[in-house]
Amino acid sequence: MNTESIKTINYSLFIQLLLLVLGVSFGLSGCGRAEPAVSQTPVQENKENTEEKLKEGTIVLNEEQISSYGSITECIFQEDKETVALSLSMSEIPRSDDHLIYLFAFDIYETCDFTGEFDREPIASAKKDRNAKLQWKYENRQLFQQFVPALLFDGRYIPLAAASCITNPEMLADGSVSVEPPKSKKGLLLDPQMLQTPMLTDLDVKYAIYNIPLSHILGETTHEALPTITYEYEGRTYKFNGASINGYDNLFSYLTESGMNSTAIILNDWNDDCPELIHPLSRDKEAGAYYYAFNTADEEGCRYLEAIASFLAERYSGKEHGLVSNWVIANEINQYKIWNYMNTDDPDLYAAEFEKAMRIFYNAAKSSYADANVYFSIDHDWNNNNGDNKDHFNAKDILEKINDLAQLKGNYDWGLAIHPYPNPLTRVNYWTETYDKTVNAPILTLMNLSTVTDVLKRDEYLERNGDVRSIMVTELGFTSASGEKLQAAAFAYCYYIIEANPYVDAFIMNRQTDALEEVKQGLSFGIYGLDQTPKYIFDTFKYIDTDEAEEHTEFMLNILGAESLEEALSWAQ
């Protein structure tokens, strides 16, 4: 090769290199010009590398392992009351199709099933992290939903943890209502005929309790002056009986103005006009039950319950129609044959269906009045069915199962309403019998309240802030059939036992006036007789939480056979 040829080649290479540089510099392309080189900034490269690392994760799991790998530590409203944040904890970051964790919302009645034709859209996403936080803007009804984090794995979503509900609904309450706590634990099941009369006011009641059977408040009314009340909820109009609601308005307004702390018991009685409120396993009008399990099995039932709970909680939140501070959901739920009927002897199924209703009412109540308390009720059959659930469930078993469910879907501050009657109910001198005081005691009474408090003091039963849950004795009475003075002594001793117990917030006595159907069974529980004549217990009840208490209860020690109140109280410890 000669010198001229070498020069020509070098010159040609020079021109090509020059064109390449110009092409990159000026963005030239096309025939005769070099394609521009694609370059990335360090930030872009780092982002892609990070996302790729998150996609690969630090551990490889199969679908079954992924579905229970994470743990939701909280699901709560943020301070702005408009944002919800769910925190998820994992020991390692699982491998998946991409670098994200996705969040899905399900209604409370749904099973959170990701199989089949899953076409649900995620409501939020966040980068995978051992301690991930998913945030989203709160929307209507999410208060009554459950939320599941998931990974995209082999082209479909796989849940990462069990579902969780929002656990601080009190953040939505406006905080404008605040009341002083009652000055004593003395309460009473009221006689509506004695409202606004000295027969009630003379008793100086601190806690009052009243039933709200749903059939009484639902549906239309023909009363011209008190027309049907319509309530809009999620695009549907619900109708409430104006005359009946007016009665409750007057009741709770009066109690609030009189300084009484109000408790309402929500009871699901049979209603031919609202069969959707009855659980599918409970729709037997001939079952012989007083009340029926709430329908939490389908959308129609849950929406109706949400509407009812929201309506009542808003109406009685202390604004215009009085304040209900405490809500008891159903009655003695372990007695599932008569007080909360469901055709099943499976306590797991029963507790799961009830807990959903409990959370619906809890979230509605707390979102309207932050200091509201919401309870479920058990009777004295604590642990006595020997594993045979055909007649009733053990209250201990139902308590444990509801707590487990509540913890699984996000701990909330439910309370326990107890009815620690003597066994049998006609027994008045309950202190003369020896009781098992362990957590496995067959019967729960005043003499062994440690049976239930020892359970609720365990770490796994505590409220979100670490306190022992609220306990109320919402029904307990003593018959005067064996003597009025004995009845008064039984009441006084009961009151002092409860007053001395730091875990029991109130004692609501059954009842102000004898009820004929109970008297026929030998259960004359009232302060007043059927003829509205006061019994011996009247002064004992009236003065027991005053400076004059000793004068009106000193007879009690002689009946108990105790030298002092301290000695008597030691028997119940």
Side-chain angles (χ1 to χ4, degrees):
M1 185 178 292
N2 60 33
T3 304
E4 285 298 316
S5 295
I6 294 174
K7 288 181 178 179
T8 300
I9 292 171
N10 288 341
Y11 181 77
S12 176
L13 288 172
F14 172 78
I15 294 299
Q16 290 182 40
L17 289 170
L18 180 61
L19 288 173
L20 179 62
V21 171
L22 291 173
V24 172
S25 300
F26 296 104
L28 302 177
S29 63
C31 183
R33 294 175 182 172
E35 289 293 326
V38 178
S39 65
Q40 292 182 317
T41 66
V43 173
Q44 289 173 317
E45 291 180 353
N46 185 58
K47 178 182 178 181
E48 286 193 3
N49 289 338
T50 300
E51 291 180 356
E52 186 63 28
K53 287 180 180 179
L54 289 176
K55 174 183 174 181
E56 294 301 318
T58 57
I59 189 172
V60 178
L61 305 173
N62 60 36
E63 290 187 17
E64 184 178 353
Q65 292 169 324
I66 289 174
S67 64
S68 59
Y69 190 69
S71 175
I72 296 174
T73 55
E74 64 179 15
C75 182
I76 58 174
F77 283 107
Q78 303 300 284
E79 290 297 326
D80 64 4
K81 300 184 179 184
E82 296 179 352
T83 306
V84 186
L86 182 146
S87 297
L88 176 74
S89 175
M90 300 181 290
S91 57
E92 299 286 344
I93 299 176
R95 183 178 184 274
S96 64
D97 291 2
D98 60 20
H99 65 290
L100 295 174
I101 299 172
Y102 299 90
L103 191 70
F104 293 89
F106 293 82
D107 280 317
I108 203 166
Y109 65 88
E110 294 184 288
T111 57
C112 304
D113 187 4
F114 281 76
T115 61
E117 295 182 8
F118 185 79
D119 56 0
R120 200 172 301 236
E121 293 295 323
I123 63 169
S125 63
K127 289 181 179 179
K128 287 194 289 188
D129 197 298
R130 289 175 59 194
N131 294 292
K133 191 171 187 178
L134 296 104
Q135 295 192 123
W136 71 97
K137 206 74 168 178
Y138 173 73
E139 295 182 1
N140 291 338
R141 281 205 66 254
Q142 288 184 343
L143 194 60
F144 306 109
Q145 292 185 316
Q146 50 188 334
F147 306 94
V148 184
L151 293 178
L152 191 60
F153 187 84
D154 288 345
R156 66 186 193 87
Y157 293 107
I158 304 296
L160 254 175
S164 180
C165 300
I166 295 172
T167 60
N168 63 339
E170 65 275 6
M171 286 291 291
L172 295 184
D174 62 21
S176 63
V177 176
S178 179
V179 296
E180 291 292 323
K183 295 180 180 179
S184 81
K185 299 182 181 183
K186 185 175 74 177
L188 188 62
L189 173 61
L190 302 183
D191 181 341
Q193 296 181 357
M194 295 182 177
L195 294 175
Q196 299 180 329
T197 73
M199 301 179 83
L200 173 58
T201 55
D202 285 353
L203 292 171
D204 194 21
V205 174
K206 304 301 192 300
Y207 286 88
I209 196 165
Y210 218 82
N211 294 337
I212 303 182
L214 293 186
S215 71
H216 291 196
I217 64 172
L218 298 177
E220 300 184 54
T221 177
T222 57
H223 197 300
E224 292 185 6
L226 301 169
T228 300
I229 297 171
T230 58
Y231 181 73
E232 300 295 327
Y233 180 78
E234 291 299 308
R236 178 177 169 182
T237 300
Y238 295 86
K239 296 179 179 180
F240 292 86
N241 186 300
S244 181
I245 293 297
N246 181 69
Y248 285 108
D249 290 350
N250 292 335
L251 169 68
F252 294 127
S253 293
Y254 167 71
L255 296 178
T256 301
E257 292 165 3
S258 301
M260 286 183 246
N261 184 286
S262 296
T263 298
I265 306 176
I266 306 299
L267 300 168
N268 194 27
D269 55 338
W270 187 271
N271 188 346
D272 288 327
D273 295 328
C274 303
E276 63 269 39
L277 284 174
I278 307 294
H279 194 280
L281 294 176
S282 307
R283 293 173 185 166
D284 181 1
K285 192 175 182 179
E286 307 304 320
Y290 292 106
Y291 304 108
Y292 296 78
F294 298 103
N295 180 15
T296 54
D298 56 42
E299 180 179 5
E300 190 175 28
C302 284
R303 292 290 175 91
Y304 211 153
L305 283 181
E306 292 167 21
I308 292 169
S310 298
F311 171 79
L312 291 173
E314 291 169 14
R315 195 168 188 89
Y316 302 119
S317 60
K319 306 293 197 308
E320 300 177 48
H321 307 291
L323 175 66
V324 172
S325 296
N326 313 301
W327 301 88
V328 179
I329 312 308
N331 180 57
E332 297 183 353
I333 63 170
N334 58 303
Q335 299 292 343
Y336 73 99
K337 289 286 190 180
I338 55 173
W339 293 117
N340 195 57
Y341 175 70
M342 182 183 288
N343 185 21
T344 180
D345 59 3
D346 181 353
D348 292 299
L349 170 64
Y350 180 80
E353 292 302 293
F354 177 80
E355 193 277 331
K356 290 185 283 187
M358 183 71 183
R359 198 183 286 265
I360 286 173
F361 279 101
Y362 177 91
N363 283 1
K366 297 288 282 188
S367 64
S368 290
Y369 174 54
D371 292 329
N373 296 300
V374 184
Y375 304 82
F376 65 89
S377 161
I378 59 173
D379 77 343
H380 64 185
D381 284 326
W382 177 252
N383 193 43
N384 63 353
N385 72 9
N386 297 315
D388 182 353
N389 295 319
K390 292 182 179 179
D391 294 323
H392 68 275
F393 295 127
N394 285 332
K396 175 177 177 287
D397 294 339
I398 296 299
L399 172 63
E400 290 175 350
K401 293 179 187 304
I402 288 176
N403 183 63
D404 288 345
L405 290 162
Q407 297 285 350
L408 180 66
K409 292 191 176 182
N411 189 21
Y412 58 105
D413 298 339
W414 53 265
L416 186 64
I418 60 176
H419 300 169
Y421 279 101
N423 189 30
L425 300 182
T426 52
R427 186 184 185 108
V428 182
N429 59 342
Y430 51 87
W431 53 88
T432 62
E433 191 170 318
T434 300
Y435 296 91
D436 184 343
K437 296 184 180 181
T438 71
V439 295
N440 292 315
I443 298 293
L444 170 63
T445 75
L446 287 166
M447 303 303 289
N448 63 348
L449 288 180
S450 59
T451 294
V452 66
T453 57
D454 282 352
V455 171
L456 293 184
K457 285 191 291 184
R458 296 175 181 170
D459 287 346
E460 64 268 27
Y461 281 87
L462 299 178
E463 292 185 335
R464 288 175 296 156
N465 64 2
D467 290 342
V468 176
R469 297 181 183 279
S470 175
I471 305 172
M472 290 178 68
V473 176
T474 51
E475 182 186 322
L476 179 57
F478 308 99
T479 182
S480 61
S482 299
E484 291 188 8
K485 202 167 187 179
L486 182 61
Q487 177 198 31
F491 161 75
Y493 186 34
C494 170
Y495 182 84
Y496 285 129
I497 289 173
I498 291 173
E499 184 183 49
N501 191 310
Y503 303 111
V504 182
D505 295 330
F507 163 34
I508 300 177
M509 178 182 163
N510 181 23
R511 61 182 56 239
Q512 187 174 1
T513 306
D514 281 345
L516 180 58
E517 64 273 17
E518 292 178 346
V519 171
K520 291 178 179 178
Q521 303 172 55
L523 303 174
S524 302
F525 288 143
I527 293 174
Y528 296 92
L530 290 173
D531 61 357
Q532 297 189 339
T533 300
K535 302 180 188 177
Y536 189 91
I537 194 177
F538 180 92
D539 283 344
T540 306
F541 185 95
K542 176 178 179 177
Y543 293 106
I544 198 164
D545 58 345
T546 72
D547 293 339
E548 301 176 52
E550 186 175 355
E551 177 185 345
H552 295 279
T553 61
E554 58 185 354
F555 71 93
M556 174 193 71
L557 295 178
N558 186 48
I559 293 176
L560 295 179
E563 294 294 326
S564 65
L565 178 60
E566 290 73 22
E567 179 189 353
L569 290 177
S570 70
W571 301 342
Q573 294 175 354

